[in-house]
């Protein structure tokens, strides 16, 4: 079975540009999580969805960040406008809510904002 | 609120030596505990988890961990490490119920550096 798929794997952009990160969860998983990893702050949960509905977005750093999950097989994390301090690795993870206990992580998107 | 503390940011060890990576947690409710491994430029992979039952949990790649409720610890151990075990190891905690609130709280990670 395919794992969690993220695209792109690497993104380099200039400050002020819009960035869209994409995630496809494992088929059948109905909860999806977005994390950010930096040297300074480690792994932080940004937002998570259950059955396509955002449940907790308290980790989203500011209004420049937004996330959507239009259907069970796709989610996006958008940064507009991007800033150098947004440079990080962004991970997506999914879990089967009913009885599931393990989050499965994608390979991550390494974002560099110049 | 839950929290996880990994006191050692880096653990150097020689190949074939034993290793222990420490993890302590804080929670007012029952918890699930996890260890994830992150190899360079890769995502996180589950090593092992404790949900309930036996306090000694065995995972992949020869790793094991012991849940100690009285000491609120979940230390990771391996009797003999290999060069290929060089990676970042993360301890994590979530609420101890199955369901939508499976938020993971991660520790800051421990870099295991295995030397020949």
């Amino acid at each position: 079975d395919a794992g969690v798929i993220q695209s792109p794997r690497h993104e380099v952009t200039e400050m002020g540009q819009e960035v869209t990160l994409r995630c496809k969860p494992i088929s059948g998983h109905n909860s999806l999580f977005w994390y950010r990893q930096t040297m300074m702050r480690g792994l932080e949960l940004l937002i998570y969805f259950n059955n396509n509905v955002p449940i907790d977005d308290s980790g989203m750093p500011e209004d420049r960040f937004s996330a959507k999950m239009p259907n069970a097989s796709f989610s996006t994390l958008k940064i507009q406008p991007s800033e150098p301090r947004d440079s990080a690795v962004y991970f997506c993870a999914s879990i089967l809510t009913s009885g599931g206990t393990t989050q499965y992580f994608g390979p991550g998107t390494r974002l560099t904002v110049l | 609120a839950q929290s996880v503390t990994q006191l050692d940011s880096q653990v150097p060890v020689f190949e074939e030596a034993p290793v222990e990576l420490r993890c302590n947690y804080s929670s007012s409710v029952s918890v699930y505990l996890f260890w994830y491994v992150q190899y360079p430029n890769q995502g996180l992979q589950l090593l092992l988890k404790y949900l309930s039952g036996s306090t000694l949990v065995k995972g992949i790649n020869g790793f094991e961990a012991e849940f100690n409720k009285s000491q609120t610890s979940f230390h990771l151990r391996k009797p003999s490490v290999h060069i290929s075990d060089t990676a970042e190891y993360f301890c994590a905690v979530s609420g101890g119920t199955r369901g939508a609130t499976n938020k993971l709280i991660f520790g800051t990670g421990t870099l295991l550096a295995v030397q020949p």
Side-chain angles (χ1 to χ4, degrees), chain A residues 9 31 33 35 37 43 45 48 50 56 58 91 95 97 99-103 105-107 110, chain B residues 32 34 36 38 41-44 46 49 51 90 94 98-104 106-108:
Chain A
R9 292 294 310 276
S31 287
F33 302 76
Y35 293 88
Q37 184 179 36
L43 273 160
L45 176 65
Y48 78 96
N50 186 46
D56 185 349
S58 59
F91 289 103
I95 188 172
T97 303
T101 58
T102 300
Q103 290 186 24
F105 282 75
R110 182 174 296 277
Chain B
Y32 293 157
F34 305 81
Y36 281 85
Q38 184 179 30
N41 300 314
Q42 294 187 28
L44 279 75
L46 181 70
K49 62 184 176 183
L51 305 181
F90 292 93
S94 74
R98 299 169 187 262
T101 56
N102 296 85
K103 292 172 59 173
L104 277 174
F106 283 92
T108 50

Side-chain angles (χ1 to χ4, degrees), chain A residues 9-53:
Chain A
R9 292 294 310 276
H10 302 273
E11 176 82 27
V12 180
T13 190
E14 293 189 346
M15 183 174 63
Q17 296 298 306
E18 177 179 295
V19 175
T20 298
L21 312 181
R22 297 172 176 80
C23 174
K24 177 179 170 56
I26 292 173
S27 177
H29 284 191
N30 56 346
S31 287
L32 182 142
F33 302 76
W34 281 100
Y35 293 88
R36 177 172 67 175
Q37 184 179 36
T38 61
M39 289 293 292
M40 291 296 295
R41 301 175 66 90
L43 273 160
E44 305 173 274
L45 176 65
L46 300 178
I47 184 171
Y48 78 96
F49 296 83
N50 186 46
N51 292 325
N52 312 336
V53 176

